[in-house]
Amino acid sequence: MTLAAPRHFLDLKDIDAGTLRHILETAATCKGRRRDHARPLTGKSVALIFEKPSTRTRVSFEVAIRELGGDPVILLGHDMQLGRGETVADTARVLSRYVDGIMMRTDRSAKLHELAQYATVPVINGLTEASHPCQIMADILTFEELRGPIEDQVIAWCGDGNNVARSWIEASARFGFVLRLATPPELAPSAELLAWARSQGARVEVGSDPEAAVADARCVITDTWVSMADTEGENRHNLLAPFRVTERLMAQAAPDAIFMHCLPAHRGEEVTAGVIDGPQSVVFEEAENRLHAQKGILAWALGASD
């Protein structure tokens, strides 16, 4: 008998729009009935591999698995044989015999994809240097709770064309919103990714003028200037200083625009305290929705949600 291929959640571009919408609907249901929703992971275990430090990803996944009835198994990179030279392929094969799913947070997307290649259970991308799809699912859940359907809305990104920005580009092709990115040319997203998105019908605009990007946008997003795997911090600060999200920049957006940031944030760098701590900020709603969005992802990936 041929076993069905596992349902990996690696990148938004790999999953069709209908499935992503179904995951968000499951997430919303879980949030609305947090204390009495179904527990579809009862009797199942999920390994959570952390090769990078984590607050939100670790706590939200661990709590999500427990509230869905499952058991999380925390694996830190320095505690695993993977950190001592064991191959990713061997790790995947072994873990697949112990657990029902694997989440990995790593700074090498190639490692995540190799894990998925050899695993016989679902693999979920908790973050790589190339993408952060779980975050974007939480962000879209947040936007739609507060401002209604995201389709045809204008979303603006200011700052580094990093992993989170890349997942927003993929999301624009799946959810039908207009995405404007303002980045330094040196840190712009790849031409290959933009070409893929546009071939899928995405409306993505890339430039270097933050005010043009945020004009009348319903949501303004940024992220840290220096991520955990980045180097040349001083040079990046110089490049990104003109893209700081300030009260003046937010004033160029729609009157009811919201501000998003995946956290952790550095007030006074990528965003002013007046914005992130102000009335337009929804950063803690986003953080909460990581829990609910990941419930939707886990339920779908582990086969408990059709």
Side-chain angles (χ1 to χ4, degrees):
M1 182 178 70
T2 302
L3 296 176
R7 288 177 170 178
H8 300 313
F9 188 86
L10 304 181
D11 285 303
L12 299 180
K13 63 182 175 60
D14 301 326
I15 304 174
D16 65 82
T19 298
L20 293 173
R21 177 54 63 188
H22 172 69
I23 290 171
L24 287 181
E25 290 169 355
T26 302
T29 298
C30 287
K31 183 174 184 177
R33 300 180 57 189
R34 180 172 178 185
R35 299 306 176 190
D36 66 350
H37 60 58
R39 295 168 66 85
L41 300 193
T42 298
K44 297 186 177 184
S45 298
V46 183
L48 305 178
I49 301 175
F50 291 95
E51 294 192 317
K52 293 168 68 71
S54 174
T55 299
R56 281 153 292 278
T57 298
R58 176 167 176 172
V59 176
S60 59
F61 263 110
E62 187 168 355
V63 172
I65 292 164
R66 292 189 187 281
E67 291 190 357
L68 290 175
D71 294 302
V73 180
I74 305 297
L75 299 170
L76 303 180
H78 61 268
D79 293 332
M80 298 175 63
Q81 295 300 331
L82 185 61
R84 298 182 174 90
E86 183 168 25
T87 68
V88 174
D90 285 355
T91 300
R93 292 183 181 107
V94 169
L95 290 180
S96 294
R97 292 170 182 252
Y98 294 152
V99 299
D100 300 282
I102 306 168
M103 187 286 303
M104 187 179 211
R105 179 178 170 92
T106 180
D107 59 5
R108 289 179 54 201
S109 59
K111 188 178 291 187
L112 174 80
H113 287 274
E114 185 177 357
L115 186 76
Q117 179 183 349
Y118 289 97
T120 57
V121 298
V123 172
I124 297 171
N125 177 359
L127 174 142
T128 73
E129 86 293 357
S131 61
H132 198 359
C134 291
Q135 179 66 53
I136 275 57
M137 293 295 281
D139 291 351
I140 292 174
L141 179 64
T142 305
F143 182 93
E144 295 197 333
E145 284 180 339
L146 299 171
R147 296 294 182 264
I150 198 169
E151 185 175 7
D152 294 328
Q153 298 294 335
V154 177
I155 308 299
W157 174 275
C158 293
D160 185 9
N162 65 7
N163 54 349
V164 181
R166 288 191 285 271
S167 286
W168 270 107
I169 292 169
E170 294 183 11
S172 71
R174 295 293 181 250
F175 289 96
F177 54 85
V178 177
L179 179 64
R180 300 187 193 138
L181 299 105
T183 72
E186 299 89 338
L187 301 176
S190 72
E192 180 181 10
L193 176 58
L194 294 170
W196 172 84
R198 289 164 179 155
S199 76
Q200 300 292 305
R203 291 166 288 175
V204 182
E205 305 167 15
V206 180
S208 56
D209 183 348
E211 291 193 6
V214 307
D216 298 320
R218 297 291 302 286
C219 180
V220 178
I221 315 164
T222 193
D223 196 4
T224 56
W225 288 349
V226 181
S227 298
M228 285 180 279
D230 290 332
T231 58
E232 300 183 9
E234 183 177 352
N235 182 53
R236 294 175 69 84
H237 278 68
N238 292 336
L239 289 173
L240 288 161
F243 297 85
R244 178 179 295 113
V245 179
T246 64
E247 293 91 329
R248 180 179 178 277
L249 186 64
M250 284 297 298
Q252 308 301 310
D256 65 345
I258 55 178
F259 171 76
M260 289 188 176
H261 189 306
C262 66
L263 303 177
H266 300 84
R267 289 163 175 81
E269 291 188 6
E270 70 271 9
V271 60
T272 61
V275 171
I276 196 169
D277 298 320
Q280 291 173 287
S281 175
V282 298
V283 299
F284 297 111
E285 288 84 351
E286 284 179 85
E288 177 189 347
N289 279 338
R290 287 291 302 278
L291 171 66
H292 309 300
Q294 284 155 195
K295 285 183 180 180
I297 293 166
L298 286 159
W300 171 79
L302 273 67
S305 171
D306 294 330

